[in-house]
Amino acid sequence: QVQLVESGGGSVQSGGSLRLSCAASGFSGSRYCMGWFRQAPGKEREAVAHIDTDGTTRYADSVKGRFTISQDNAKNTVYLQMNSLKPEDTAVYYCALGAGLCYAVSHIRLQMDYWGKGTLVTISS
């Protein structure tokens, strides 16, 4: 059974930083795409950043230059370093994993087979 366990959410002021972590277990595939989505109140869930086993990364335009995704393959863990946070980054952040190399951002949600429970990120102005 695949499990994704997120950690690192919290509350910071605008301009601050947070780092999210997501540890995966139970996945047996040799190639996968793993990363983060977010959902703000009243809005659709959107892709934020993803990385695959080849090291290819995908970022939403809204976070490019501010967020960095990385991975520790030995620990099956991905990290999302979020800098220069803005109030509009406030959302529940979900970790997700899907088989194969990452699709384009516009289709990446379709690729995801497994989801974490989410962690809340709140940015105050």
Side-chain angles (χ1 to χ4, degrees):
Q1 182 179 0
V2 176
Q3 287 190 318
L4 302 176
V5 179
E6 302 123 330
S7 61
S11 299
V12 296
Q13 290 189 327
S14 182
S17 298
L18 284 172
R19 189 173 88 148
L20 305 182
S21 300
C22 176
S25 61
F27 185 76
S28 60
S30 59
R31 287 187 162 186
Y32 58 82
C33 176
M34 190 168 166
W36 299 89
F37 292 77
R38 68 186 180 187
Q39 188 165 18
K43 294 190 176 181
E44 295 285 324
R45 191 172 296 189
E46 62 176 358
V48 176
H50 291 78
I51 188 167
D52 61 30
T53 42
D54 276 6
T56 299
T57 56
R58 300 272 189 260
Y59 292 97
D61 288 343
S62 59
V63 306
K64 284 180 181 176
R66 300 188 298 122
F67 291 11
T68 303
I69 191 167
S70 59
Q71 64 185 345
D72 183 335
N73 290 331
K75 296 181 179 179
N76 293 325
T77 299
V78 295
Y79 305 95
L80 184 67
Q81 179 66 43
M82 305 186 293
N83 298 329
S84 301
L85 284 161
K86 305 174 181 179
E88 51 263 44
D89 294 318
T90 295
V92 177
Y93 284 68
Y94 296 91
C95 181
L97 182 151
L101 302 181
C102 287
Y103 295 176
V105 172
S106 57
H107 295 85
I108 206 163
R109 184 173 178 179
L110 301 174
Q111 186 179 10
M112 299 296 112
D113 297 312
Y114 306 100
W115 294 84
K117 294 181 179 180
T119 185
L120 178 62
V121 171
T122 304
I123 312 302
S124 58
S125 57

